[in-house]
Amino acid sequence: MWTIFCAALLIASMAEAKPRTDVTVSGISAGGSMASQLHLAFSSEISGCGIVAGPPYYCAQGSMMTAIGACMRGPATSVSVSNIQNKLKSYVTSGSADSTANVKDDPVYIFTGKNDGTVIPGVAKISEQLYSPLGANIKTNYNLPANHGFPTENFGGKCEVLSSANYINNCNFNLAYDMLNHLFDGNLVKPPSGTAVPLSGQFIAFDQAAFMNPKNVARSDSRATDILSLWSNWMQTTMALYNPLTYLPSLNLPTLTLPGMTLPGSTGGVTGASSSNAGYGFDSQGYVYFPSACSQGKKCPIHVALHGCKQGKSFIGDVFAKKTGYLEVAELNDIIVLFPQVLQSSLNPQNPNGCFDWWGYGSTNYANKLGPQMVGIKKMVDTVRGINTASAAK
């Protein structure tokens, strides 16, 4: 009887297994490097990381030439793992990165395609060398014959060909699920192949500056104390309009814009300064998906998904957010997905391809807690968490 009870308890605990914290992160290419930067700098709060076709943490060491040279084209032997490890240790010692002891047992997913000529596999695999000594729970995927891009089950260019239109490859493989399933301890529901998942949540375009500084946002609704309560009220009112028995949105999700719209139940919108003018490289808007359950009172974990170069809103709109498979996995498993967006720019900062900062174009602190983009994304996560917490408390 005791054996049966223990077995039942083990099964129950496996079913309830969750990441160590409520935040995980992933990204492709430059976004993959940024994902590892966020994980290692904020490891007390971020408990899982997916790196898709990306150079390892601090590979560029503050040099654009190193970034476009050794960190992309190799050879892998020209990248000093010990230098990277020493830099991370110095950040931990100074307090600009959390203790690497937090990373022990954290799920980490590393992908590189066999045909990737942009960030060669040998360089991408260095992430495994960095995370292994930290005791991370690593899953690697090195055998797909993919070129540089985000593999999906049914969208994008040919798997083995570089798809410069959006850097998304149709490889007949759901990488978003495979990666998130590892980050969530192997307990996620998989989207069925060949069947569309009804996306009945809310896909929202939001003002990134407002989400990075929610208390400083100018408002015209005197009944709302800040953007958190305003959007919480809006979410509640909007979802109440939908009858779950008759409302079944198509996969062509509408994009709701906040701020700059009149919200139900309010006398006006919310305004905030354009985040692209803040000098951090962010676009004015980002995207977030609230699955239906998370919009209606359930407290949900947050996953941050970071686009690669030439994949942001200024290049391909919301294609990366809507076509890579994140939303379907999120809807079936009640995971909020945040899609920060970086803007292409020629000066201040010099970032013509719209990449997240993984070589120091915005700050010498780009890979630690003091980096402007690191701080900005962290604040966005905190705002989304606040909105979800307020909704769950009602």
Side-chain angles (χ1 to χ4, degrees):
M1 180 64 70
W2 179 251
T3 301
I4 295 175
F5 172 78
C6 290
L9 184 63
L10 177 61
I11 292 173
S13 66
M14 290 175 62
E16 293 296 321
K18 297 178 181 178
R20 175 171 53 81
T21 70
D22 67 340
V23 183
T24 54
V25 63
S26 68
I28 173 176
S29 196
S33 292
M34 175 60 80
S36 65
Q37 290 171 194
L38 287 164
H39 182 212
L40 292 172
F42 296 106
S43 61
S44 64
E45 299 182 60
I46 297 176
S47 56
C49 181
I51 306 167
V52 180
Y57 175 83
Y58 200 69
C59 181
Q61 302 183 54
S63 167
M64 183 181 68
M65 296 307 296
T66 301
I68 62 178
C71 295
M72 295 177 66
R73 306 293 183 180
T77 53
S78 64
V79 178
S80 173
V81 175
S82 61
N83 283 352
I84 295 173
Q85 291 171 327
N86 289 335
K87 175 57 71 172
L88 179 57
K89 289 177 182 177
S90 72
Y91 286 153
V92 172
T93 300
S94 67
S96 55
D98 292 340
S99 171
T100 54
N102 296 322
V103 179
K104 187 177 186 301
D105 298 324
D106 275 4
V108 172
Y109 185 98
I110 305 170
F111 171 85
T112 180
K114 294 172 70 174
N115 293 318
D116 194 328
T118 302
V119 178
I120 64 169
V123 171
K125 292 176 183 180
I126 293 174
S127 289
E128 186 177 0
Q129 298 178 48
L130 295 175
Y131 272 104
S132 289
L134 302 180
N137 173 17
I138 302 172
K139 178 177 180 178
T140 61
N141 186 339
Y142 300 155
N143 295 319
L144 203 65
N147 208 308
H148 191 71
F150 197 102
T152 73
E153 194 168 40
N154 52 25
F155 179 84
K158 293 182 179 180
C159 188
E160 68 279 6
V161 177
L162 185 66
S163 178
S164 58
N166 49 39
Y167 298 96
I168 301 174
N169 297 333
N170 183 350
C171 295
N172 193 31
F173 179 74
N174 192 333
L175 182 102
Y177 168 76
D178 196 54
M179 176 169 60
L180 289 175
N181 190 48
H182 179 64
L183 299 189
F184 282 80
D185 297 321
N187 293 306
L188 298 189
V189 176
K190 185 176 183 179
S193 298
T195 303
V197 174
L199 298 175
S200 51
Q202 293 288 345
F203 184 86
I204 300 163
F206 65 90
D207 186 317
Q208 294 191 122
F211 272 43
M212 287 186 279
N213 299 283
K215 293 182 180 180
N216 298 326
V217 178
R219 55 184 172 78
S220 56
D221 183 358
S222 60
R223 291 171 295 176
T225 58
D226 52 31
I227 193 173
L228 303 184
S229 57
L230 182 57
W231 196 21
S232 178
N233 293 339
W234 170 76
M235 290 280 289
Q236 186 178 32
T237 304
T238 302
M239 293 308 298
L241 299 176
Y242 298 146
N243 181 339
L245 297 179
T246 59
Y247 176 64
L248 190 64
S250 68
L251 288 177
N252 186 21
L253 296 175
T255 298
L256 305 175
T257 303
L258 177 76
M261 63 175 288
T262 300
L263 306 179
S266 73
T267 57
V270 184
T271 58
S274 171
S275 54
S276 62
N277 294 328
Y280 303 155
F282 287 108
D283 205 336
S284 58
Q285 291 183 327
Y287 302 114
V288 63
Y289 182 71
F290 270 71
S292 51
C294 309
S295 302
Q296 300 179 60
K298 181 174 182 179
K299 186 70 172 68
C300 298
I302 300 167
H303 183 75
V304 182
L306 303 168
H307 64 74
C309 301
K310 296 186 177 181
Q311 282 187 317
K313 179 175 178 288
S314 59
F315 281 95
I316 62 173
D318 58 16
V319 172
F320 176 79
K322 289 184 175 179
K323 295 296 186 180
T324 45
Y326 281 106
L327 302 188
E328 290 77 6
V329 179
E331 179 64 29
L332 290 176
N333 295 280
D334 301 334
I335 302 168
I336 298 168
V337 186
L338 174 66
F339 298 93
Q341 299 292 300
V342 169
L343 182 70
Q344 63 176 137
S345 57
S346 299
L347 293 172
N348 299 322
Q350 187 176 5
N351 184 26
N353 293 326
C355 310
F356 280 98
D357 191 359
W358 66 280
W359 69 84
Y361 67 72
S363 168
T364 56
N365 291 311
Y366 70 95
N368 64 46
K369 284 183 174 183
L370 304 178
Q373 289 188 10
M374 302 278 280
V375 172
I377 293 172
K378 175 64 168 55
K379 287 183 176 180
M380 288 187 225
V381 170
D382 292 341
T383 298
V384 170
R385 182 192 290 117
I387 292 168
N388 183 229
T389 299
S391 175
K394 288 185 177 296

